[in-house]
Amino acid sequence: MRRTVVTRLSGSLLAAEEEDGRITGLFLEPEGTESLVGRIYVGRVKSIVKNIRAAFLEFGRDEMCFYPLEEWEKHPLPGMEGKTLKEGDSLLIQIEKDAVKTKAPMATTCIIFAGQYLVLAAGKRGICFSSKIRDGARKQALKEFLTEAADSAETSFPFGLIVRTNGKTAPYGAILSELETLLKTASRIFSLWETRTAGTLLYEPEPAFLAEIFNNRTGSFGEVVTDDQTVYRLVEEKLKTLRAQDEACPLPALRLYGDSYPLSKLYSLETALSKALSEKVWLKSGGSLIIQPTEALVSIDVNTGKFDGKKRLEETFFKINLEAAAEIAVQLRLRNLSGIIIVDFIDMEERDHKEQLLRVFAAALENDPVKVNLLGFTRLNLVELTRKKVRKPLHELLSGKRKDRKE
C-alpha cells in the first residue's frame, strides 16, 4: 500500500510518500519559505531591459519578479491586446516559478486556475489533455462535452482547458461542477484586479503540500497519516471537497497519529532526507549512481561499482543500466531535480539494448507527477531528459536551512 506521511521536522513541514516500505517521494517546506507558485498579484512594471527582452515587476511587499516580454506577446491581458508595455504599467500576473538561487521568481500573464480534474487557462483557446490520458474515445467524448460547456459559459475573457490525469475516469458531473467553480473564481479576479493597487494579492492556491499529495494521484494511494492537527484538518477538508464532487471517487483514509514514538522515526524520515542528499546511490546489483546537480544541469553517472556478474560484459552492463533507470526515476522525485538532466549510462554496443533501456526508463518516468520529457541518446551516447522546474530542489532547501542556522 502507498501512503503519505506528513509531519513537522526541524522547523519544516515534510510530506513523504512511502510505498512497499521505501520512501519514494519527499516534499519539504521550511517555515517562512512557502512557495509563491500559483499566487496571483497586481504587479507593476518597475523596469524594462530591452537587451534581454524582459521586464522586472514589483509584486507583493516590494518583491521583484522576472517577466519575459515574449509572455506579453503571447498572453496579453484581455482589453490590452496590442499595447506596448512601459514602466509604471499595472498587470495581472501569476507567479509561475519560485526564486532559484540568484534568479528572481518568474511571472506570467497566462493566468491559470488548477482544480482536481481541470486546469483553466485564461487567455488561451482549445482543450488539451494530460499526456497520461491515452484513451482516444474518452478524450473525444470529453472534448465534445467540454467544448459545449465552454461555449455556453458567459465570461469577459477567452479561456482554454487542460484535462488533468485525474479527469481520466472522473464522472462528467464532477468535471462540470469543477469547471463552474473555476470560472466563477477566474471571473471574480478578472473583474476585480483593475480596481486594486499594485502589489495586491488576489488569489492564493491551496497549500503546496496538499497539491503535492493529491494532484494527479486521487485514488492511487491508501492512506494519509499525520501527527499535526492543522495538517489533519486541511486534509480532512480537502477529502470532503473531493467527495462532494464525486461520491464514487476512491479516496485515501486519513489517520491522526497519536503515539508517543515520533512519526518521523517510525518511517525513518531523517535517514531518507540524509540519503537524498548523498552524491552516491548504491544499486542492489552493486552498481552505483553519482548524482551531481550544477547551476546549468544535473549530471548522473552510472557505474558498475561492486557488480561482479559472471555473464559477458554486454549483458552485465545492460542489467545494471536497467536497474539504474528505475532508480533514477525515483531519485528525481526524491530530490526534486529539474531542468536539463544528463545521464551517462554504461556504454552498450547492441542497439536493441539501448532501445529497451529507453522504453524501461520512459515507463519508470511515467510515475512522476511532474512533467518529464525523455529526449533519448545524444551523439555523445548520453541520455538527455528535461524535468519541469516548479520549486526548489531538496538540496537547495536544506542547504539554505543549514546556512540560516549558522547565521
Side-chain angles (χ1 to χ4, degrees), residues 286-306:
S288 65
L289 308 176
I290 303 296
I291 302 175
Q292 296 176 315
T294 68
E295 182 75 25
L297 52 80
V298 177
S299 69
I300 303 177
D301 188 32
V302 182
N303 297 312
T304 56
K306 297 181 290 186

Side-chain angles (χ1 to χ4, degrees), residues 22-301:
R22 183 190 177 184
I23 300 299
T24 57
L26 290 169
F27 170 82
L28 186 73
E29 189 172 64
E31 291 179 3
T33 62
E34 290 79 7
S35 174
L36 300 179
V37 172
R39 293 186 183 183
I40 299 175
Y41 294 88
V42 179
R44 187 175 71 87
V45 179
K46 178 69 173 177
S47 62
I48 295 176
V49 187
K50 292 183 179 180
N51 62 337
I52 60 172
R53 300 198 73 245
F56 287 91
L57 312 181
E58 290 180 324
F59 73 101
R61 296 181 178 179
D62 298 323
E63 296 176 275
M64 300 292 291
C65 63
F66 180 82
Y67 178 75
L69 292 181
E70 64 180 19
E71 276 287 306
W72 186 247
E73 297 167 2
K74 294 178 182 178
H75 309 296
L77 294 168
M80 299 179 71
E81 296 87 350
K83 175 181 171 63
T84 300
L85 287 185
K86 61 181 185 300
E87 291 181 9
D89 282 346
S90 291
L91 298 178
L92 182 67
I93 60 169
Q94 186 168 42
I95 303 302
E96 188 174 34
K97 295 178 182 178
D98 279 320
V100 178
K101 293 186 178 179
T102 59
K103 296 180 181 178
M106 182 177 291
T108 178
T109 41
C110 178
I111 310 298
I112 67 170
F113 301 87
Q116 199 65 27
Y117 311 119
L118 301 172
V119 174
L120 185 151
K124 286 191 173 183
R125 294 285 191 182
I127 296 172
C128 303
F129 294 84
S130 162
S131 60
K132 296 181 182 180
I133 301 179
R134 299 190 177 91
D135 185 335
R138 170 69 172 175
K139 288 170 69 173
Q140 183 59 35
L142 274 174
K143 187 172 184 178
E144 293 174 2
F145 172 75
L146 289 171
T147 298
E148 183 178 350
D151 289 344
S152 62
E154 296 182 3
T155 64
S156 61
F157 55 90
F159 67 91
L161 295 170
I162 302 170
V163 182
R164 309 187 73 178
T165 303
N166 284 335
K168 181 167 54 177
T169 57
Y172 286 77
I175 292 175
L176 181 60
S177 175
E178 182 169 271
L179 174 59
E180 292 171 349
T181 299
L182 294 175
L183 283 171
K184 184 177 179 180
T185 301
S187 296
R188 180 182 63 81
I189 288 174
F190 273 96
S191 65
L192 186 69
W193 80 270
E194 290 183 280
T195 66
R196 296 296 186 267
T197 58
T200 302
L201 172 64
L202 296 176
Y203 173 81
E204 190 169 7
E206 66 183 10
F209 82 89
L210 280 181
E212 186 72 16
I213 293 173
F214 288 100
N215 280 356
N216 298 327
R217 295 173 180 226
T218 303
S220 65
F221 59 101
E223 182 184 42
V224 177
V225 56
T226 181
D227 56 359
D228 187 285
Q229 290 279 1
T230 300
V231 169
Y232 182 88
R233 178 179 53 80
L234 290 170
V235 175
E236 186 177 42
E237 291 174 358
K238 176 72 173 182
L239 291 171
K240 287 179 180 177
T241 300
L242 294 175
R243 195 169 287 112
Q245 290 177 337
D246 178 12
E247 293 181 358
C249 179
L251 296 173
L254 174 61
R255 177 164 58 95
L256 182 63
Y257 181 81
D259 198 287
S260 60
Y261 190 72
L263 188 61
S264 60
K265 293 188 179 299
L266 181 64
Y267 290 96
S268 303
L269 299 184
E270 291 179 340
T271 300
L273 281 170
S274 177
K275 287 184 176 180
L277 292 176
S278 176
E279 185 177 273
K280 177 173 282 190
V281 178
W282 287 106
L283 304 175
K284 290 182 180 180
S285 64
S288 65
L289 308 176
I290 303 296
I291 302 175
Q292 296 176 315
T294 68
E295 182 75 25
L297 52 80
V298 177
S299 69
I300 303 177
D301 188 32

